[in-house]
């Protein structure tokens, strides 16, 4: 009986020895969990009396409830190949008053808001033909040490999450 138990134990050790955990890299980032970027190009804010100026979009497919959405507004360019992205929420201090960009999101949709201390129709260049980048960060990363990422820096986010900008989808 001892020999059978010893043989079974030996077979069990060999079998379990064959099981390994395969980490994608030394930073423990799961490269199978993919961040995504979408772009809204040359969009106009709509106005309604209840919510003011906003841009509403559904997410298809829906994201996981644990995912995080970051939204950046194209605020200008340095040259033809160097855009300047600003993380929103953001307050702009203009001669007419304050202009605020903000957003909310769920796993199904997101809304970008523009509001201010003055009539935004007086500055159409801030509510028409706007471009936004929507970055979806999988909830998996919330369990990792992402404190070293400067989320206000779009390029730092793209680099940290290994986002391929050639695959940005238009919404």
């Amino acid at each position: 009986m001892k020999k059978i138990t010893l043989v079974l134990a030996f077979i069990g050790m060999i079998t379990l020895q064959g099981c390994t955990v395969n980490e994608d890299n030394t930073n423990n980032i799961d490269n199978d969990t993919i961040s995504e970027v979408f772009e809204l190009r040359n969009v106009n804010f709509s106005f309604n009396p209840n919510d003011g100026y906003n841009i509403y979009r559904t997410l298809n497919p829906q994201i996981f409830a644990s995912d995080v959405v970051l939204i950046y507004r194209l605020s200008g360019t340095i040259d033809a190949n160097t855009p300047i992205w600003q993380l929103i929420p953001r307050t702009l201090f203009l001669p007419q008053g304050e202009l605020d960009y903000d957003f909310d999101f769920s796993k199904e949709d997101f809304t970008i808001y523009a509001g201010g201390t003055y009539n935004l129709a007086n500055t159409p260049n801030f509510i028409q033909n706007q471009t936004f980048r929507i970055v979806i960060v999988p909830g998996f990363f919330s369990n990792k040490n992402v404190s070293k990422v400067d989320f206000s820096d779009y390029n730092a986010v793209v680099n940290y999450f290994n986002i391929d900008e050639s695959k940005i989808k238009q919404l």
Side-chain angles (χ1 to χ4, degrees):
M1 183 70 174
K2 285 184 180 181
K3 289 182 181 180
I4 292 175
T5 304
L6 185 60
V7 169
L8 289 175
F10 182 70
I11 291 171
M13 287 184 351
I14 291 172
T15 303
L16 292 177
Q17 191 70 14
C19 297
T20 60
V21 175
N22 184 11
E23 293 294 336
D24 288 338
N25 62 34
T26 57
N27 294 329
N28 292 328
I29 295 175
D30 179 6
N31 288 325
D32 298 332
T33 306
I34 300 171
S35 299
E36 292 183 273
V37 179
F38 300 95
E39 186 169 279
L40 295 172
R41 187 175 292 164
N42 298 321
V43 294
N44 297 328
F45 282 85
S46 299
F47 181 81
N48 73 56
N50 296 330
D51 298 326
Y53 288 95
N54 67 67
I55 298 168
Y56 172 83
R57 295 290 189 276
T58 57
L59 294 168
N60 188 8
Q62 294 180 4
I63 62 175
F64 293 105
S66 61
D67 290 349
V68 175
V69 173
L70 302 171
I71 299 182
Y72 297 84
R73 177 182 164 266
L74 180 64
S75 64
T77 58
I78 294 173
D79 56 43
N81 297 317
T82 311
I84 301 169
W85 296 103
Q86 290 183 331
L87 179 66
I88 61 173
R90 182 71 158 194
T91 300
L92 303 178
F93 299 97
L94 305 172
Q96 297 85 352
E98 290 182 18
L99 170 78
D100 296 308
Y101 292 105
D102 202 353
F103 74 98
D104 63 31
F105 72 93
S106 71
K107 67 180 189 169
E108 300 172 359
D109 58 18
F110 65 89
T111 305
I112 303 171
Y113 300 96
T117 59
Y118 68 97
N119 182 355
L120 299 186
N122 293 334
T123 54
N125 54 317
F126 290 100
I127 56 173
Q128 295 175 359
N129 298 317
Q130 297 296 299
T131 298
F132 295 93
R133 290 255 171 108
I134 294 82
V135 180
I136 298 174
V137 178
F140 170 86
F141 289 113
S142 66
N143 297 329
K144 302 294 178 191
N145 184 13
V146 294
S147 61
K148 57 186 164 192
V149 180
D150 179 4
F151 289 103
S152 67
D153 181 351
Y154 172 79
N155 293 316
V157 171
V158 166
N159 289 335
Y160 184 81
F161 294 110
N162 297 316
I163 295 170
D164 183 352
E165 288 197 279
S166 69
K167 296 181 180 176
I168 293 176
K169 302 170 190 160
Q170 299 291 319
L171 287 181

